[in-house]
Amino acid sequence: MNIMRNITVLISFFSFIGCTSYPPIKSEEYVDIDRFMGDWYVIANIPTFIEKGAHNAIESYENNNDGTIATTFTFNADSFDGDIKVYHPKGFVTDKKSNAIWEMQFIWPFKADYRILYVDKNYQHTIIARIQRDYVWIMSRTPVIGSEEYKNLIRIIKDSNYDISKIKLVPQQSLKERKK
């Protein structure tokens, strides 16, 4: 009986959290999904629990034949020489008109909100956001970006009602340093 009560309490709690309203978050109007595929270096983020201490974080996307996105997330744990961690969530594009709204599935059957808030016209920098504004990722095709570009990306995040004080830089080595 206690187990059923605890399950009911947990379901009620998570249902309540799901009912919290957030102002709309504006994602990109259109993302060329083929151009978006490939490697993205995580420059900064509001980290999830698995990302805390991540170094050299890279998120890679590849189209699957069934329309889903094969995702590989790799990083070194806690230092540049730390253990390599690899995760393989699956992406589901839920807004086929824009290709900017996805769900990401780390564990079946649960899917998490994942939105391409911004991608520059050359597909070199992107911001991934969530309606809940609990996590955000600034990513680039290169492991280092210029300070003006970084400031611009932070401004976009701030304008989307995020608490930018929670954003942490992800340590990245240059490609030359990685090869040593």
Side-chain angles (χ1 to χ4, degrees):
M1 195 58 146
N2 282 340
I3 293 172
M4 288 304 292
R5 188 185 79 226
N6 290 342
I7 290 172
T8 303
V9 169
L10 283 173
I11 290 171
S12 298
F13 174 74
F14 286 113
S15 296
F16 176 72
I17 288 174
C19 293
T20 305
S21 66
Y22 296 92
I25 198 163
K26 188 174 181 346
S27 57
E28 279 289 342
E29 288 183 23
Y30 177 76
V31 174
D32 181 331
I33 206 74
D34 291 327
R35 287 184 72 194
F36 196 80
M37 297 295 102
D39 292 345
W40 290 95
Y41 296 86
V42 182
I43 303 300
N45 61 17
I46 297 176
T48 65
F49 71 95
I50 66 171
E51 296 172 289
K52 290 184 178 172
H55 287 59
N56 288 336
I58 300 173
E59 182 110 323
S60 299
Y61 305 108
E62 185 178 327
N63 283 316
N64 285 327
N65 291 334
D66 64 0
T68 61
I69 308 295
T71 306
T72 303
F73 179 56
T74 60
F75 62 88
N76 294 90
D78 300 317
S79 72
F80 291 122
D81 297 325
D83 292 341
I84 296 175
K85 302 290 184 181
V86 181
Y87 295 91
H88 295 284
K90 185 184 280 190
F92 298 82
V93 179
T94 58
D95 182 347
K96 301 289 185 182
K97 183 177 178 186
S98 71
N99 294 325
I101 301 173
W102 301 12
E103 290 180 337
M104 199 59 81
Q105 185 175 63
F106 279 84
I107 300 170
W108 184 87
F110 305 104
K111 295 179 183 173
D113 181 50
Y114 181 99
R115 294 169 184 263
I116 302 170
L117 174 66
Y118 170 82
V119 64
D120 71 310
K121 66 180 180 175
N122 296 318
Y123 285 70
Q124 295 302 302
H125 305 103
T126 191
I127 300 169
I128 306 302
R130 289 173 33 91
I131 289 175
Q132 298 87 346
R133 291 163 175 87
D134 49 357
Y135 305 114
V136 70
W137 297 266
I138 294 173
M139 299 190 293
S140 175
R141 296 292 190 179
T142 59
V144 178
I145 65 173
S147 63
E148 288 304 311
E149 184 63 31
Y150 182 75
K151 288 177 188 174
N152 180 52
L153 297 170
I154 291 292
R155 182 193 51 77
I156 293 168
I157 294 168
K158 183 177 181 180
D159 290 350
S160 296
N161 297 312
Y162 267 91
D163 178 355
I164 61 170
S165 71
K166 295 180 179 180
I167 296 174
K168 308 291 181 207
L169 287 171
V170 175
Q172 292 279 358
Q173 290 176 307
S174 69
L175 295 175
K176 186 177 180 182
E177 291 172 316
R178 289 173 195 238
K179 293 179 182 178
K180 289 181 182 179

